[in-house]
Amino acid sequence: MTNKITAVDIYRFSIPMEPFTIATGTMDHAQNVFIRIHTDKGFYGVGECSAFPMIVGETQDTCLAMAKDFAKLWKGQDVLDIPARMQQLHDAVAGNTTIKSAFDMALYDISAKHAGLPLYKFLRGKKRVVESDITIGIGAPKQMAMKGVAFKRTGANILKVKLGKGAETDVERIKQIREAVGPEMNIRVDANQGWSFDEAVFALQAIGQYDIEFCEQPMRTWYNDRLPELMKLSPVKIMADESVYNHHDARMQIESGSCHYINIKMAKSGGILEAKKIHDTAAERGIPCMMGGMLESRIALSSKLHFVYASPNIHFYDMDTCMLGHLVDPCVGGVTYEGYKLNISNEPGIGADADEAFLKGCEKFTI
């Protein structure tokens, strides 16, 4: 039995937020795109992506433009053949993984609804405890330390600290945060490609004394060839983020001795189909993964939680995206938080959708 695609609704899904700074820039709103794919069997699936131009190179406008092209390609096609549909997009255009991830998500939503299953069961997963970290953006060391204390008071157990703007100041940032929150909180750091090789060596050796769980992406990807050397010099374990977009990248990073861990993000992989290949490639080689994200709402976050439930090699959870200063929640249903622990209902599919009242204020295109 097939489900033919009849129409695709595309929305400019901008979410206002408090300014958030990482090594490569500052965002004051989430540049998201929301889609609904309709079929001739009465099902529709939802997808959302969050453009982060400083990292992935896509903007909200490029995502909207490509979404219109993708929708035209898919009209009349079988929505249940996920590999064929995604290959169709890859054959049409290279890259553009962020907007591809929204289309991938909608396919999985429809397929799970068609099967009458929550997505994690469709993916043959089962629920488990998932506790997210909470991210501290780059700022003055004292301000970041105060933020860490504030998060601790709200029950956070794991801090993710953004670094990458001045190696010496970064060391001071970690020193002050550790002194402020005490020894019991777990601290992980993310340099977002902000250091040179020498800066990375200096910073990682200096912060090693502060019990740091790992460091994400210390250097620009053009220094990937120097990661094996950095691995030997660093007392802090290294997680690949921007160095791994697909399972081929994962294989190369692991087999060259360039990382201890890998961060999987739908905006990099192009969605669940490729994310599963990254997960399995890492699992086969004994490299644990993290579930990360950009600035998605609880819609895309819900799909990520389903994926985590079906991915036993994901050991770390950076799933705080809609807790990072979103000033509006445009989602109905979906992920719920109990402190920093995530859960979701057993509704068929992803179990999340956009709030119709929010959509009324969004620019819309129908293909």
Side-chain angles (χ1 to χ4, degrees), residues 326-339:
H326 281 200
L327 300 177
V328 178
D329 180 4
C331 175
V332 293
V335 164
T336 57
Y337 285 98
E338 183 178 340

Side-chain angles (χ1 to χ4, degrees), residues 269-345:
S269 70
I272 291 172
L273 186 68
E274 181 63 29
K276 178 68 164 59
K277 295 179 183 178
I278 297 171
H279 169 275
D280 292 351
T281 297
E284 289 163 3
R285 292 160 175 80
I287 297 295
C289 295
M290 180 162 79
M291 186 77 251
M294 298 304 185
L295 294 171
E296 298 93 341
S297 78
R298 290 188 304 110
I299 298 171
L301 181 64
S302 297
S303 73
K304 291 190 286 184
L305 182 59
H306 285 289
F307 178 71
V308 165
Y309 286 154
S311 305
N313 191 46
I314 294 180
H315 295 189
F316 312 107
Y317 316 106
D318 180 30
M319 301 176 69
D320 61 345
T321 55
C322 46
M323 301 171 75
L324 294 177
H326 281 200
L327 300 177
V328 178
D329 180 4
C331 175
V332 293
V335 164
T336 57
Y337 285 98
E338 183 178 340
Y340 292 88
K341 293 179 180 177
L342 287 70
N343 203 350
I344 200 164
S345 73

